[in-house]
Amino acid sequence: MFMDHLACFTPADLAGRTPPDLGGFRWKLLAQGDSWFSNAAAKLNAHANLLQELVFREKTAAVNCAGTGNALSHMVDLESSPDFVKLLTGADAPVWDGVLLSVGGNDLIAAARTPAMNWNGEPIPLELRLMRRQTEWGPPSAGVARYFSEPGWATYADYLRANVKHLLSLRDQGPSAGKPVFMHCYAVPMPRPAGAESNDDLGAASGPWLYPAMKAYGVPAADWAAVSRLMVFHLALLLKSMAADKEAFPGLYVFDSTTVPLALAAPGSTGISGDWHNEIHLNHSGCFKIARAWSEAIEMVLEGRHLIQPTTGRKGRKS
């Protein structure tokens, strides 16, 4: 079956002299997010934009508010994104069939980068960082969890839950009340000295991101990949638990991108490696793999196919 790429527009396109006719599309989506959705020229030239790799059986358009620069460095920046808020909540806003979100990953990286000491040498409490100093490490029997701050994770989880709840309340204030909100989990990056070519990927920092944090906290290099995996899987479990709580997070659908097999970057590599453009951003092949799987999950919800219970063919077994 022929699949159509998602047609991506910007708020500026909508406000232009000849705005696109969204009426010709079966599904109309509003998108906002971090650097995985960024319209930065370097991203588009590298085909490293997740939205541009989404494909659907029916013609589908998205208005992407992620912008050309840094996009959302932090989840709380949604408040300072007037285009997105207006297109979602404004009285004359379109009725969207769904909202695409790429959020939480940059916040996770920022939390992992929080140092053990502040600028004047005072220790930063464990509940405000994700990594433990060597004097705080747990027993070796704990595996790589010995380096991880569970109190810091609890703080991060509360922050993300509050922000997603707020976003769903914004949706329900506008014409698209109750429409599905689609989020993705992230892929597991290899901490390595591979930064971005420009300063538009995570605030003013051009990377690398996790690599200096692992070094600063003295984590043995042999454990870097496993620590990265631990953090990304914590985030995936958090997002999926929110989607499963239909009362607190109505209409939230989370795609577990950790289940998509990707080629890991080589440890120590400094540029494009495996399915990765730099340390924390996918390249074209990585975006392609995740987007193809996510597209199917999105389309199932848009068409209502997710409500059809599969039958196992075995009697007495719950489907």
Side-chain angles (χ1 to χ4, degrees):
M1 177 179 284
F2 180 74
M3 305 287 270
D4 245 340
H5 271 88
L6 178 69
C8 292
F9 303 102
T10 65
D13 293 331
L14 288 191
R17 274 185 164 178
T18 53
D21 177 16
L22 297 181
F25 293 91
R26 172 67 181 90
W27 307 113
K28 293 171 280 296
L29 307 171
L30 181 64
Q32 174 59 298
D34 55 26
S35 45
W36 278 33
F37 279 9
S38 169
N39 283 321
K43 278 270 187 313
L44 301 184
N45 291 342
H47 302 291
N49 176 312
L50 199 56
L51 285 180
Q52 295 209 316
E53 295 303 323
L54 293 174
V55 290
F56 298 94
R57 284 183 282 209
E58 305 220 41
K59 286 188 71 176
T60 306
V63 176
N64 181 14
C65 301
T68 56
N70 155 49
L72 281 185
S73 289
H74 299 287
M75 183 81 190
V76 287
D77 295 342
L78 278 169
E79 276 300 292
S80 57
S81 177
D83 287 332
F84 177 72
V85 174
K86 184 180 173 191
L87 285 168
L88 186 60
T89 65
D92 57 347
V95 176
W96 304 102
D97 295 299
V99 179
L100 299 170
L101 279 186
S102 181
V103 291
N106 283 357
D107 295 284
L108 183 73
I109 298 290
R113 286 164 58 89
T114 302
M117 305 276 187
N118 66 16
W119 59 274
N120 61 357
E122 292 173 348
I124 291 174
L126 265 178
E127 59 266 23
L128 296 181
R129 50 189 164 93
L130 284 188
M131 303 291 289
R132 290 178 177 270
R133 296 199 308 272
Q134 283 173 282
T135 53
E136 301 166 327
W137 287 356
S141 59
V144 295
R146 67 197 294 238
Y147 313 120
F148 188 66
S149 168
E150 288 293 348
W153 175 256
T155 304
Y156 171 86
D158 287 346
Y159 160 87
L160 198 64
R161 279 194 205 96
N163 276 279
V164 174
K165 272 187 183 169
H166 176 64
L167 181 108
L168 296 177
S169 76
L170 278 180
R171 171 202 62 187
D172 292 340
Q173 291 167 32
S176 301
K179 295 292 187 180
V181 171
F182 301 100
M183 292 177 68
H184 62 80
C185 300
Y186 290 80
V188 180
M190 172 67 71
R192 61 193 182 104
E197 303 84 52
S198 59
N199 292 349
D200 66 1
D201 289 294
L202 192 61
S206 58
W209 298 268
L210 288 172
Y211 173 76
M214 298 289 173
K215 289 177 74 175
Y217 276 99
V219 177
D223 289 336
W224 289 357
V227 173
S228 175
R229 179 182 170 88
L230 176 80
M231 290 193 286
V232 170
F233 273 64
H234 264 66
L235 177 54
L237 283 170
L238 172 62
L239 291 173
K240 290 190 291 181
S241 72
M242 293 191 316
D245 186 348
K246 295 300 182 191
E247 197 171 319
F249 300 92
L252 177 65
Y253 296 87
V254 170
F255 172 69
D256 188 358
S257 33
T258 64
T259 63
V260 178
L262 293 181
L264 267 176
S269 54
T270 58
I272 294 172
S273 180
D275 283 324
W276 294 84
H277 187 66
N278 55 38
E279 190 192 33
I280 62 170
H281 299 108
L282 299 169
N283 61 20
H284 179 232
S285 62
C287 286
F288 177 89
K289 290 172 185 176
I290 287 182
R292 293 301 149 111
W294 192 25
S295 304
E296 174 64 19
I298 293 167
E299 200 157 40
M300 279 187 77
V301 174
L302 292 176
E303 293 176 351
R305 285 185 284 131
H306 68 298
L307 299 171
I308 301 167
Q309 291 297 316
T311 54
T312 62
R314 291 187 188 180
K315 289 184 179 176
R317 178 164 178 165
K318 288 181 181 176
S319 60

